[in-house]
Amino acid sequence: MKSHVKAVVIGGGVVGCSVLYHLAKAGWTDIMLIERSELTSGSSWHAAGGFHTLNGDPNVAKLQAYTVQLYKEIEEISGQSCSLHLTGGVMMADTPARMDFLRLAHAKGRYLGMDTELITPSEAKAMFPLMDETNFVGAMWDPVEGHLDPSGTTIAYSKAAKKLGAEIVLRNRVVELTQEVDGTWNVVTEQGTVKAEHVVNCGGLWAREIGRMVGVELPVLAMEHMYLLTEPMPEVEEFNKSTGREMIGVLDFKGEIYTRQERNGILLGTYEKACKPWSPVNTPWDFGHELLQPDIDRIAPSLEIGFKHFPGIEKAGIKQIINGPFTFALDGNPLVGPVQGLTNFWCACAVMAGFSQGGGVGLALSNWMVHGDPGFDVWGMDVARFGEWASLRYTNAKVRENYSRRFSIRFPNEELPAARPAQTTPLYDTMLANNAVMGDSWGLETPLWFAPKGKEPKDILSFHRSNDFGPIGEEVRATRERVGVTEIANFAKYEVSGPGTEDFLNRLMTNRMPKTGRIVLTPMINEFGKLIGDFTIAKAGEDRFMIWGSSAAQKYHMRWFEKHLPKDGPRASEVRIHRFDQTLVGLSIAGPKSRDLLQKLVDVDISTKAFRFMDFREMAVGGAPCMVNRITYTGDLGYEIWMAPAYQRLVYKAIKEAGEEFGLVDFGMRALLSMRLEKNFPTWFRELRPIYGPFEGAMDRFIKLEKNDFIGREAAAKEQAEGPKLRRVSFFVDAADADVMGDEPIWAKVGKDYGTVEKPHGYGAPRFDTSGEEVRGSKAAQGASAVRGIVDGDWRVVGWVTSGGYAHYVQKSMAQGYVPAALAEDESTGLFEIEILGHRRPARINVEPPFDPSGEKMRT
Ligand SMILES: Cc1cc2nc3c(=O)[nH]c(=O)nc-3n(C[C@H](O)[C@H](O)[C@H](O)COP(=O)(O)OP(=O)(O)OC[C@H]3O[C@@H](n4cnc5c(N)ncnc54)[C@H](O)[C@@H]3O)c2cc1C
């Protein structure tokens, strides 16, 4: 065993071996994988070995597609077979709502280059004759599904990594991790200490324990999981013989089960409602190649539905039930990337579908470690996406919820109940008393909308417009015409102070820093010129700045700020960054009467000239010390008022009392988001993400290339000089009773004379190739209906929706998204269509925002 290496990967499951392979492939060969026992000694050896590409997050879906196509490569390099069976698979919908879900998934696939198809239950039965198709209303076929040998695949990764120069040490547990002042890690193992620049936690079932070695409680929990294997079945053998094909994989939403052929019989697994965590607090180190006791009673309700839907299986004898543990994060996606607050400590854990995701996780992490950036959009699995509120008990509740809903539909207006309320502001009870429907915003209870008096404050779940439509419209109209108040505690808030702060921010941000008492809006970009943040910054005093940003990105942004703090020279570590979390809360008032209202509560002049648009002041509001920004996301005259939580009730009460004469209303987040749509304002993580450049994101006026050198300046200058390939645009959509939700394809009638555009910063990117060659779906679909690809006559999929909804004041359905830049200013009618729930709806670009295009109302 070497004593010094560049990186140590802890854990020899499928994920650790994939990370090792990808690091070696990227050129880091001075690396070592340390495994406690033998390879696959965690959850990898007893996996059912299924793989598929579909994922709720299109970016994770792309990683899954990459994983599947990687297997041939590692087989070739290692000489080890993965026993790949690319059978294809179907998802079965038993209700119209589940069919809507499949339509959405299918539509997303159009610009991700996926060949899914919507097919009938009978077509599905032709590929899996054990089902009773009368239980279903429709299905979606995905050709890129199948199964493999989990151990063979893990070994193939490890052999390929070794061939490239990596070292693997078996039967050697890592027992402690310490770090020297210079950042070197001491990886203390049973066989001695290895010094490493980087440590990667691929501990699988023990990832939580490895996190604890460095003082981090990772939000990951192992759950018991069962699948059964039947005796050989004559029906299966007969099907194989008569068709020359293996039976396909089937996913049944209603039963929360998956099933497929295994040898001459069937494998059937369940995600049962009565699920059970395994080792909820500590994972025993002596757990090895053993299985857990099966508990057939627990999966009986799922089996009952399964046997009804697949009567062919009921008749077969059960040969074996496998029960094994594997890990999940709160939302079921992996935890990948550098851990905020630590140097060179990386995670690749909570990978619940190692054989669908392991390759993509390995690629993303190795890119990140070697090149400083994952290389594509990995927010959906970034370890920074959860905050401190994701404690051990929170994780336990949320993972159970996630497991029991593994194949359940999540409606766009659905808030999940487990582990709530976690964080609340002092106004929580008041908001409930006001009949608010609350939502979870990064662990914080936040009012979404207010139900009318006498009505139950509850969403009716739907893909279509629902019971919040009318009340949100009222909130919007009252705010636009009079004045409204809303809670904004769910923004991220930071104070950056100390000598050198302005230089530090100027180096990080694309816009110039404001003068004292003024505010600027500014994106932040990385070295590759991609958007990694969007902030409101106020200069509160000499060497003191207040920053507001996206709540969900707090750890993500702190990680970036900390990485770029001045480390050398006289200014080293003089800059201090404080993240407030919920120690600073806020209220926003907006609408034409908001100034009259605020003037009643303050003792200073806030007339247009005295307190201008984009001004910042510290002032007492209703007697409470506050910071006030003359700015609002609704696009009206308005103010953001920030205070310590102890004052929030006082300020709210004062606003409510003073607002009575102006007809003040409470409004929630959904009204706020509706109002920003009619101003064409973008949102972080929807319109603005690390795959877009600032000019693609239409953030031109905030990019000051001439101000000073800043991170990403060169790349941004290049983007500007060459012209962005894509452009963020806003649409009016001729929608019926459903608006866009995000990720819908945008079609354009552009004929054949249009160039090629790729979704940037990804691999195997969705290609909008309009060279004339028709892109067709799966030829493997046995007996499936004709395919609708991304080309349909003169119509082509040219882009994707990022978000949208109903803009209540202008009374139009609106959407934002990305299209090729050459089309971005074309407001012609008949040029675009946006696919909503399987129906293509006419859409028209609106270059100017429909509400107050000149911005006069904000400035008055
Ligand atoms: C019953 C069942 C069915 C499944 N079916 C599927 C399926 O069909 N498809 C699919 O994609 N996934 C499936 N999975 C999930 C799949 O098994 C996991 O996603 C995958 O195994 C995760 O791999 P990993 O490398 O992250 O973790 P693990 O396999 O748990 O590997 C972690 C490794 O780290 C080692 N380790 C931990 N701590 C230390 C330490 N301190 N020092 C040294 N070594 C350490 C362990 O010994 C272990 O070998 C299934 C799981 C189960 C239980």
Side-chain angles (χ1 to χ4, degrees), residues 183-250:
T184 305
W185 285 102
N186 295 311
V187 183
V188 184
T189 76
E190 290 168 336
Q191 295 173 21
T193 298
V194 185
K195 290 198 177 290
E197 245 177 78
H198 299 264
V199 169
V200 192
N201 178 359
C202 296
L205 294 176
W206 295 267
R208 187 181 51 182
E209 278 67 23
I210 294 172
R212 287 174 190 161
M213 290 181 193
V214 295
V216 174
E217 187 64 41
L218 291 167
V220 52
L221 177 70
M223 299 293 291
E224 292 193 13
H225 181 67
M226 279 181 266
Y227 63 85
L228 61 84
L229 297 164
T230 70
E231 300 286 358
M233 293 172 62
E235 299 91 327
V236 174
E237 288 171 24
E238 171 52 33
F239 177 84
N240 296 159
K241 224 190 281 163
S242 63
T243 63
R245 293 193 181 108
E246 196 175 340
M247 281 190 188
I248 60 167
V250 179

Side-chain angles (χ1 to χ4, degrees), residues 10-17 34-51 172-175 202-207 210 213 223 225-227 258 260 271 285 322-327 348-357:
I10 307 174
V14 65
V15 175
C17 291
I34 304 180
E35 165 55 46
R36 182 186 66 101
S37 175
E38 304 297 331
L39 295 181
T40 78
S41 291
S43 51
S44 294
W45 73 275
H46 48 56
F51 60 80
N172 185 25
R173 181 157 74 87
V174 172
V175 292
C202 296
L205 294 176
W206 295 267
I210 294 172
M213 290 181 193
M223 299 293 291
H225 181 67
M226 279 181 266
Y227 63 85
Y258 58 90
R260 65 165 169 86
Y271 281 88
W285 287 107
I322 310 279
N323 185 11
F326 69 123
T327 54
C349 53
V351 183
M352 63 76 50
F355 299 93
S356 297
Q357 301 175 332

Side-chain angles (χ1 to χ4, degrees), residues 475-491:
E475 291 169 28
V476 167
R477 279 184 289 279
T479 301
R480 290 275 195 236
E481 284 162 15
R482 306 193 302 270
V483 56
V485 59
T486 191
E487 268 213 276
I488 48 171
N490 62 331
F491 290 16

Side-chain angles (χ1 to χ4, degrees), residues 731-744:
F731 288 97
F732 293 134
V733 190
D734 193 358
D737 68 335
D739 305 298
V740 300
M741 290 152 233
D743 297 323
E744 291 85 354

